[in-house]
Amino acid sequence: MLKLDFLDPKPAFAEEQETFDIPSFEIPAVHNPIQFLEQHTSGATKTHIKIEHGTTTLAFKFKHGVVVAVDSRATGGSYIASQSVKKVIEINPYLLGTMAGGAADCSYWERELGRRCRLYELRNKERISVAAASKLLSNMVYAYKGMGLSMGTMVAGWDKTGPQLFYVDSDGQRLKADLFSVGSGSTYAYGVLDSEYSFDMSVEKAIDLARRSIYHATFRDAYSGGVVNVYHVKEQGWEFISQTDVTELHYQYAAEPRPALI
């Protein structure tokens, strides 16, 4: 029998390609998944699910680019699950994302963002801007608002307009600023950042400030710790700077002379 499959305008792989383009997930088989989740995480029922998480991440713009610094501790309540989590996700050679909140949520959605950024490059023959990449991430997670995602991420990079920094969370909120710190230890990190941050800093001072800020957060916040990973985003792309154990930093900073109190 003569096969006329070649006359079919729709390729055999088209269905598979369409499902790959738009991620979809299993949701609770209830009438209202959002209301169901609120009920079981608010303490209103005996089967109360308490989701606890903590971390410290930061990023700031200065005249030589963007510095990104993170800790590496993963916790489940008071249990330390890991001391070696990579909380900076390398989206492409010019874009970095950070993880705060649920590790699985941040990791999945930022890797999905990397895929979409690559597709943008192939279609448009140019790199995606940092603003557009952060908007893509915001739009993707907004579709699942109220369904239990836990994300507080920063998207940092360098595009045609220079260094850029955005904050995106699991509610679809998207903010642009020169300095962000996210996580349970962020208040401690802000204390150090606000006292020493300047847009005209040298590269060496900016890297030291980022590292010092994360260290002080790990010292005060039980949910942060491990090592401090530092990245520097430049016009030529991002560069991994260092990985330093917080114990080493503790003794290094303890040996430094302290300023006299007024």
Side-chain angles (χ1 to χ4, degrees):
M1 181 183 290
L2 181 63
K3 291 187 177 181
L4 302 177
D5 293 346
F6 63 91
L7 296 177
D8 186 358
K10 188 175 182 181
F13 61 85
E15 252 182 61
E16 182 183 343
Q17 189 179 26
E18 284 171 12
T19 56
F20 179 67
D21 284 343
I22 306 170
S24 59
F25 302 93
E26 293 289 336
I27 58 175
V30 294
H31 177 65
N32 189 329
I34 296 175
Q35 189 178 21
F36 174 83
L37 185 70
E38 286 178 355
Q39 184 181 3
H40 286 82
T41 56
S42 64
T45 63
K46 290 182 180 179
T47 56
H48 176 214
I49 303 169
K50 188 179 180 184
I51 301 169
E52 292 183 334
H53 37 254
T55 186
T56 306
T57 63
L58 66 84
F60 57 81
K61 284 168 58 177
F62 69 120
K63 69 177 181 180
H64 298 293
V66 184
V67 169
V68 179
V70 298
D71 76 313
S72 66
R73 177 174 290 180
T75 56
S78 58
Y79 172 70
I80 298 173
S82 174
Q83 288 277 73
S84 57
V85 176
K86 189 176 181 181
K87 295 184 183 180
V88 173
I89 295 172
E90 297 151 2
I91 298 169
N92 67 29
Y94 295 86
L95 273 177
L96 293 174
T98 63
M99 291 170 53
D105 294 339
C106 295
S107 181
Y108 175 83
W109 286 109
E110 289 187 37
R111 291 183 191 282
E112 171 64 13
L113 174 63
R115 185 184 74 87
R116 296 196 182 202
C117 289
R118 180 57 179 153
L119 286 175
Y120 179 94
E121 288 180 25
L122 294 171
R123 287 169 182 155
N124 298 280
K125 305 296 186 286
E126 66 174 359
R127 291 202 320 266
I128 192 169
S129 67
V130 184
S134 64
K135 189 63 176 176
L136 270 178
L137 181 61
S138 173
N139 288 344
M140 285 190 290
V141 298
Y142 183 75
Y144 294 92
K145 183 175 181 178
M147 293 191 184
L149 289 183
S150 177
M151 286 174 55
T153 72
M154 292 173 284
V155 179
W158 194 298
D159 56 28
K160 293 176 182 176
T161 61
Q164 299 294 336
L165 176 63
F166 289 84
Y167 165 81
V168 178
D169 67 20
S170 46
D171 288 334
Q173 181 179 216
R174 174 174 167 268
L175 304 171
K176 179 181 180 181
D178 290 342
L179 185 153
F180 287 113
S181 183
V182 186
S184 57
S186 61
T187 51
Y188 307 112
Y190 270 128
V192 180
L193 286 168
D194 290 341
S195 65
E196 298 186 35
Y197 171 75
S198 168
F199 187 82
D200 297 322
M201 285 185 297
S202 65
V203 174
E204 293 75 18
K205 188 173 180 183
I207 289 169
D208 180 66
L209 174 60
R211 190 183 291 121
R212 191 181 293 266
S213 300
I214 294 291
Y215 158 72
H216 281 289
T218 64
F219 184 71
R220 292 293 181 186
D221 177 40
Y223 298 100
S224 303
V227 298
V228 181
N229 290 314
V230 183
Y231 287 74
H232 180 203
V233 183
K234 302 177 285 188
E235 188 173 3
Q236 297 78 23
W238 57 261
E239 178 189 358
F240 176 69
I241 300 298
S242 66
Q243 182 179 86
T244 316
D245 193 291
V246 295
T247 306
E248 293 176 24
L249 292 174
H250 177 77
Y251 291 107
Q252 177 187 326
Y253 295 146
E256 294 179 357
R258 298 187 180 185
L261 297 175
I262 297 174

